[in-house]
Short mmCIF file of all heavy atoms in Angstrom, two decimals:
data_model
loop_
_atom_site.label_atom_id
_atom_site.label_comp_id
_atom_site.label_asym_id
_atom_site.label_seq_id
_atom_site.Cartn_x
_atom_site.Cartn_y
_atom_site.Cartn_z
N ASP A 28 25.77 0.32 -1.48
CA ASP A 28 26.44 1.24 -2.41
C ASP A 28 27.26 0.38 -3.36
O ASP A 28 27.82 -0.63 -2.94
CB ASP A 28 27.33 2.23 -1.65
CG ASP A 28 27.69 3.44 -2.51
OD1 ASP A 28 28.31 3.26 -3.58
OD2 ASP A 28 27.33 4.56 -2.11
N ASP A 29 27.32 0.77 -4.64
CA ASP A 29 28.10 -0.04 -5.58
C ASP A 29 29.60 0.20 -5.42
O ASP A 29 30.40 -0.55 -5.97
CB ASP A 29 27.64 0.19 -7.03
CG ASP A 29 27.63 1.64 -7.42
OD1 ASP A 29 27.37 2.49 -6.55
OD2 ASP A 29 27.88 1.95 -8.60
N GLU A 30 29.99 1.24 -4.69
CA GLU A 30 31.42 1.48 -4.47
C GLU A 30 31.84 0.91 -3.10
O GLU A 30 31.41 1.41 -2.07
CB GLU A 30 31.72 2.98 -4.48
CG GLU A 30 31.53 3.63 -5.83
CD GLU A 30 31.50 5.15 -5.73
OE1 GLU A 30 32.19 5.70 -4.84
OE2 GLU A 30 30.78 5.77 -6.51
N ASP A 73 22.60 4.04 -1.56
CA ASP A 73 23.02 4.85 -2.70
C ASP A 73 21.90 4.84 -3.75
O ASP A 73 21.19 3.85 -3.89
CB ASP A 73 24.30 4.21 -3.29
CG ASP A 73 24.89 5.01 -4.42
OD1 ASP A 73 24.69 6.25 -4.45
OD2 ASP A 73 25.55 4.40 -5.28
N SER A 75 22.39 5.82 -7.24
CA SER A 75 22.92 5.40 -8.53
C SER A 75 23.71 4.09 -8.40
O SER A 75 24.82 4.07 -7.89
CB SER A 75 23.81 6.53 -9.07
OG SER A 75 24.40 6.10 -10.26
N MET A 76 23.06 3.00 -8.88
CA MET A 76 23.70 1.67 -8.80
C MET A 76 23.31 0.86 -10.02
O MET A 76 22.27 1.10 -10.62
CB MET A 76 23.23 0.94 -7.53
CG MET A 76 23.76 1.51 -6.24
SD MET A 76 23.31 0.48 -4.83
CE MET A 76 21.54 0.65 -4.84
N LYS A 123 26.80 13.06 -1.06
CA LYS A 123 28.19 12.62 -0.94
C LYS A 123 29.14 13.79 -1.19
O LYS A 123 28.79 14.67 -1.97
CB LYS A 123 28.46 11.51 -1.97
CG LYS A 123 27.78 10.20 -1.64
CD LYS A 123 28.13 9.20 -2.75
CE LYS A 123 27.42 7.90 -2.56
NZ LYS A 123 27.71 6.95 -3.63
MG1 MG B 9 26.74 4.60 -7.02
#
Side-chain angles (χ1 to χ4, degrees):
D28 198 300
D29 54 327
E30 293 166 32
D73 184 27
S75 176
M76 289 186 295
K123 289 180 184 178

